[in-house]
Amino acid sequence: MPAVDSVLVVGAGTAGAAAAALLADAGVRVDLVEIRPDVTALGSGITLQGNALRVLRQLGVLTECLARGWPADGLLLRAPDAAASVVAELAEHRSGGPDLPASMGMYRPDLARILVDRAASAGVKARFAVTVDSLAQDDGGVEVSLSDGSTGRYDLVIGADGLRSSVRRLLGVRLRTRPVGIGIWRVFAPRPPEVVTSEAYYGGPCYVAGYTPTSASSLYAFLAEDAQDRTAVTDAEKIDIVRGLTAAYHGPWDQIRKSITDPDKINYTWAEEHLLPAPWHRGRVVLIGDAVHTCPPTLAQGGAMALEDAAVLAETLTGAGRVDDALLRGFTARRFARVAAVVEASTRLARWQLTQEQGDVAALIGSIAALTSEPA
């Protein structure tokens, strides 16, 4: 029997939807609330490496994700010169095991929809445009008041509501989120036929300029610059800025640049990092995903860490007879060192891009690949 009969999950993103589905599969009554009015996801694309694909397979949605996305096993490095000279072709590590691709690019909203639909098929009751207003705990559970005026009592509440987590705030947990100094433009665009794997250009006007296929017909392109306040940029300026930044890059960039005409397919975010010290729970409320850890996308491990959190928490809760402090401390203990290594390495790689400090970046990336090859 699971350690819980009823759970409220706050946040229908990657971590929340996956945790909700896995708990419902085990017979837990799960409610899922999301502050946004519908299934949406910021960003044009996401890269999911082998350890993320391992969890998608556990959820039973890997085949659908692979059909919608674009699996690949390599990374092409090009120079920012007129010929887009190939500097290196790297075989990426299959961290999910030899039977899974090294990585998969995917349109982020597609992944969001697949995971929420998976939760619904497991019996999760989801409500959108709803969030938590208050939490009141005792030894047996959590009384919850929601923004739509409803109330409920649950054995456990999971806060999977992202970087600016309202659940974390309601718990009084203080966590400083720090910008790392890099701003990232992301563009959803058609895929030139010759782009069959991720490609990156280091140097030129951007720290890195690259693209990753997300399907047979699409890709997401990314450009990393010094973090700037871009909030007042108009739609026309967005297009001009992104096209201007890409002007120094050639090869497939020449075709991609011509297709950048829709400002709604461009977004800009700052890379940030934080990591909540152990434990990740307060009483019967536990935090997962971006609510407790976030990092620059330099190693493409953000989505993987969120999925792993969901899988490990579900396993923890369904493999015990009761919820107590020791059980939830055990969850954090199982996750903390692995997540801390990813956050630290991702941040170090971002700082390397900013300063071009000497260091064994290949060894850094290799150490994370070896770490994530092991089950979470």
Side-chain angles (χ1 to χ4, degrees):
M1 290 291 291
V4 289
D5 293 322
S6 60
V7 169
L8 174 68
V9 179
V10 184
T14 302
L22 291 169
L23 288 169
D25 285 346
V28 178
R29 177 176 64 84
V30 182
D31 289 344
L32 176 65
V33 295
E34 167 57 54
I35 193 170
R36 294 171 297 185
D38 198 356
V39 180
T40 58
L42 179 65
S44 48
I46 185 170
T47 298
L48 298 163
Q49 295 184 350
N51 55 320
L53 303 185
R54 195 160 51 203
V55 180
L56 294 177
R57 181 171 59 189
Q58 179 184 344
L59 282 159
V61 299
L62 179 60
T63 299
E64 183 178 3
C65 289
L66 288 171
R68 288 175 175 260
W70 185 276
D73 284 306
L75 171 64
L76 198 67
L77 300 183
R78 293 182 183 268
D81 58 23
S85 304
V86 174
V87 176
E89 294 185 53
L90 306 177
E92 290 190 288
H93 183 69
R94 290 193 169 202
S95 59
D99 56 337
L100 290 173
S103 66
M104 176 181 67
M106 193 171 183
Y107 185 46
R108 191 180 287 262
D110 281 351
L111 176 64
R113 171 56 68 186
I114 287 170
L115 291 175
V116 169
D117 287 350
R118 170 66 175 84
S121 71
V124 174
K125 295 181 179 178
R127 281 181 285 171
F128 290 84
V130 177
T131 191
V132 174
D133 278 348
S134 67
L135 302 165
Q137 301 192 55
D138 55 40
D139 290 341
V142 188
E143 298 282 348
V144 177
S145 296
L146 299 173
S147 59
D148 63 357
S150 63
T151 60
R153 181 174 175 83
Y154 300 89
D155 294 334
L156 186 78
V157 172
I158 298 173
D161 53 340
L163 203 65
R164 322 292 178 198
S165 170
S166 59
V167 174
R168 193 178 68 222
R169 176 180 51 79
L170 289 170
L171 293 173
V173 176
R174 302 184 70 177
L175 179 60
R176 182 185 171 200
T177 303
R178 295 170 292 271
V180 300
I182 291 176
I184 305 166
W185 291 99
R186 291 183 176 89
V187 184
F188 189 59
R191 180 185 69 88
E194 68 269 28
V195 177
V196 296
T197 191
S198 295
E199 301 187 2
Y201 302 61
Y202 287 91
C206 296
Y207 294 114
V208 61
Y211 34 81
T212 294
T214 51
S215 74
S217 60
S218 66
L219 59 71
Y220 81 94
F222 51 90
L223 301 142
E225 63 171 12
D226 288 321
Q228 300 175 52
D229 182 357
R230 298 289 198 180
T231 55
V233 170
T234 67
D235 285 350
E237 288 170 338
K238 267 199 228 179
I239 294 169
D240 288 344
I241 291 168
V242 171
R243 282 184 160 185
L245 288 172
T246 69
Y249 306 107
H250 299 285
W253 265 120
D254 290 332
Q255 185 173 339
I256 295 167
R257 180 165 46 253
K258 292 176 184 176
S259 71
I260 301 173
T261 58
D262 185 351
D264 290 337
K265 294 182 178 179
I266 302 172
N267 70 76
Y268 186 75
T269 57
W270 284 15
E272 298 177 290
E273 60 95 5
H274 68 213
L275 176 62
L276 183 68
W280 290 349
H281 74 284
R282 300 294 185 271
R284 284 176 171 256
V285 182
V286 60
L287 301 167
I288 63 173
D290 283 350
V292 281
H293 52 76
T294 195
C295 56
T298 46
L299 291 174
Q301 276 289 311
M305 291 298 102
L307 286 166
E308 286 187 359
D309 280 358
V312 172
L313 181 59
E315 182 182 319
T316 299
L317 293 172
T318 57
R322 59 191 291 266
V323 173
D324 56 22
D325 188 68
L327 183 72
L328 295 177
R329 284 184 179 274
F331 161 69
T332 307
R334 186 169 161 189
R335 293 294 298 143
F336 191 83
R338 184 181 182 98
V339 170
V342 168
V343 171
E344 193 271 340
S346 299
T347 304
R348 277 178 59 192
L349 190 51
R351 289 175 180 152
W352 174 83
Q353 290 178 359
L354 282 167
T355 64
Q356 296 294 293
E357 291 175 351
Q358 294 301 310
D360 195 346
V361 176
L364 178 68
I365 295 172
S367 67
I368 293 301
L371 175 71
T372 54
S373 295
E374 298 300 321

